[in-house]
Amino acid sequence: MFYNFPLDKTRRVVFKTFFGIGCFFCLFLGLNSAFGQNGAKLLKGKVQNVDNDVRDVLVMNLNSKETTITDSLGLFSIEVKVGDVLRLTAVQYLTKDVSITEPILNLDVITIDLIENVINLKDVTVTPYNLTGEIDRDLDRLGLEPVVTSGSLALPNADLDVMSQSERLLLEADRGKYVNFYVIALTINTHKIMNQLSGRTKSFEDMVLRDEIMDVEREVITKFSKKTLAESFDIPEANVDGFLTYCMSQNDFTSLSETANTTEIWKYLEKRSVEFKSSEMVKE
């Protein structure tokens, strides 16, 4: 009886240890089995076209709504499973859908060819100069002299950006310092002060900001159509204008013009779409 108690206690400890290990493996195998049944896999792909650039093509899984954008070489990777459909969209290409099958899922890299979005127009002749639309022929026929610009004349500051009307008005209203000190005199810039007090300067500042916001909005629409935004972010197409208005009202919206990076713009829109839908501004 002296050795029975320690022996029983040892058996219980060993049994609990093996039982815990067994439960862990059962749980692990169950999770692994569930993952295997899901069949999800990271698919690598390459978009190509003979003549055009293949960067910044939007790749969207229509089933999972997961999205990605091709890099400078046209490469991308996205999680898919059998039965999913990938949609590739870009302004310069026709939209293409790719159904994921078992053979495609087993490929190391899937190659996708995109077709240029070419709009064929009927031949027309513009009178009174009988223009044909062929630049070389029309230039020879018209006999135009080369256009003289500040750049062709190598004038100073020829490469400076031309200011918009709003920017010129703001510069005129807010020009100079409030007070100028000279050797024997002091002058006050009453023009600048009056514009500040009357709100004229603030009005022009708002105009410049509005122009910048509209420029960014045009850039977004150029890169991604409203239909693409609606499908990608699960927003009714009728509400896309409201979504863009919501983005434009954010203080950091104009910063997108400085990055000019398609991936960053897409991530920004994706983040704002979540906020937009949760704000109860979307109407079905």
Side-chain angles (χ1 to χ4, degrees):
M1 295 298 294
F2 180 77
Y3 294 100
N4 285 342
F5 179 75
L7 184 59
D8 291 342
K9 185 177 180 181
T10 302
R11 287 176 179 174
R12 287 198 299 271
V13 172
V14 172
F15 175 79
K16 289 181 179 179
T17 302
F18 279 100
F19 180 80
I21 294 175
C23 291
F24 172 79
F25 276 105
C26 288
L27 179 62
F28 175 79
L29 293 175
L31 292 174
N32 188 53
S33 175
F35 180 79
Q37 291 175 0
N38 182 44
K41 177 183 177 182
L42 189 66
L43 179 69
K44 295 182 179 180
K46 177 177 176 59
V47 177
Q48 61 184 19
N49 180 272
V50 177
D51 301 318
N52 286 336
D53 190 7
V54 287
R55 73 173 67 204
D56 299 335
V57 176
L58 177 64
V59 183
M60 179 175 65
N61 187 329
L62 296 181
N63 297 67
S64 66
K65 300 302 180 182
E66 183 180 351
T67 59
T68 186
I69 297 175
T70 59
D71 62 14
S72 59
L73 300 177
L75 301 176
F76 70 91
S77 60
I78 189 170
E79 191 172 86
V80 297
K81 63 180 183 297
V82 174
D84 285 351
V85 177
L86 294 183
R87 172 164 293 176
L88 289 82
T89 56
V91 175
Q92 68 271 33
Y93 299 115
L94 296 177
T95 299
K96 184 169 185 176
D97 291 346
V98 178
S99 298
I100 303 301
T101 61
E102 191 70 39
I104 290 179
L105 199 63
N106 293 329
L107 291 175
D108 293 332
V109 178
I110 178 177
T111 302
I112 302 174
D113 294 298
L114 293 184
I115 301 174
E116 280 186 77
N117 186 15
V118 179
I119 301 176
N120 295 319
L121 301 176
K122 295 181 180 180
D123 293 335
V124 295
T125 300
V126 181
T127 57
Y129 301 107
N130 295 323
L131 301 179
T132 64
E134 298 181 17
I135 297 177
D136 294 338
R137 290 175 56 188
D138 290 338
L139 287 177
D140 292 339
R141 180 178 300 175
L142 293 174
L144 298 176
E145 296 294 331
V147 178
V148 178
T149 64
S150 57
S152 64
L153 296 176
L155 297 178
N157 300 325
D159 57 342
L160 294 179
D161 294 333
V162 179
M163 291 190 296
S164 66
Q165 181 181 5
S166 301
E167 290 172 328
R168 290 196 297 271
L169 290 171
L170 176 60
L171 180 64
E172 183 274 332
D174 201 40
R175 184 188 300 274
K177 299 179 180 180
Y178 287 105
V179 179
N180 294 304
F181 294 94
Y182 296 98
V183 177
I184 58 174
L186 179 149
T187 62
I188 299 176
N189 191 342
T190 57
H191 176 72
K192 183 182 179 77
I193 294 174
M194 291 301 298
N195 285 328
Q196 286 283 351
L197 294 177
S198 65
R200 188 166 181 258
T201 300
K202 181 63 168 60
S203 175
F204 292 148
E205 289 175 346
D206 293 340
M207 289 172 59
V208 172
L209 179 61
R210 185 170 62 250
D211 290 344
E212 292 176 355
I213 291 175
M214 296 302 295
D215 287 342
V216 178
E217 184 192 22
R218 282 191 289 270
E219 183 180 354
V220 170
I221 296 301
T222 299
K223 291 180 180 293
F224 313 108
S225 66
K226 293 184 179 180
K227 183 177 180 180
T228 298
L229 296 176
E231 293 178 348
S232 302
F233 302 143
D234 195 23
I235 297 174
E237 193 165 350
N239 293 107
V240 172
D241 286 334
F243 167 60
L244 292 175
T245 301
Y246 173 78
C247 292
M248 291 163 60
S249 67
Q250 307 303 313
N251 294 329
D252 58 348
F253 184 71
T254 55
S255 64
L256 296 179
S257 62
E258 300 173 0
T259 61
N261 184 301
T262 303
T263 302
E264 292 182 8
I265 293 176
W266 183 259
K267 289 181 178 179
Y268 177 88
L269 295 174
E270 189 173 31
K271 174 185 175 183
R272 292 303 182 190
S273 69
V274 176
E275 300 172 359
F276 176 71
K277 289 186 290 185
S278 64
S279 65
E280 300 181 354
M281 297 175 64
V282 180
K283 298 180 180 179
E284 296 294 344

